[in-house]
Amino acid sequence: MDDKTIVCRCEDLTLGEVRELIKEGFTSLDEIKRISRCGMGPCQGKTCSQIIAREIAAATGRSMEEILLPTHRPPVGGIKLGELVGEDHEK
């Protein structure tokens, strides 16, 4: 893939930017997530985590099994504010 390829659509992160972060020494998904916000958008990394993990594996010589996936924290989908505050729906 070309360096201009968008890897994380939610945060508009390109493959070239990912490769540059890896060259700078960020060699885990959590590190890249924290510095670039990839995986923190609406998709929660469902579309970009595997691509970034493959880039890390290729650049570092580690296997995909050695690349730890980032921690996903609920909610991974949208919820209504009323659900958080315990709004009574049976009026």
Side-chain angles (χ1 to χ4, degrees):
M1 286 191 284
D2 163 299
D3 277 354
K4 293 180 184 178
T5 302
I6 301 288
V7 173
C8 179
R9 292 176 287 171
C10 300
E11 299 299 328
D12 200 32
L13 185 71
T14 66
L15 185 57
E17 291 170 317
V18 169
R19 289 174 175 161
E20 188 59 37
L21 289 171
I22 295 168
K23 284 179 190 174
E24 290 175 17
F26 301 101
T27 57
S28 76
L29 278 168
D30 271 332
E31 290 173 332
I32 293 175
K33 177 181 176 179
R34 284 184 174 87
I35 198 149
S36 69
R37 294 193 40 81
C38 71
M40 297 175 88
C43 83
Q44 295 287 296
K46 292 177 192 143
T47 59
C48 60
S49 291
Q50 290 297 318
I51 296 169
I52 296 170
R54 281 193 302 253
E55 282 299 312
I56 292 170
T60 62
R62 298 187 324 216
S63 69
M64 284 293 287
E65 291 76 29
E66 293 176 89
I67 309 296
L68 299 175
L69 294 176
T71 305
H72 293 281
R73 293 177 180 86
V76 293
I79 61 172
K80 295 181 180 181
L81 189 56
E83 293 176 31
L84 292 174
V85 296
E87 182 179 281
D88 186 14
H89 294 286
E90 297 179 27
K91 291 184 179 181

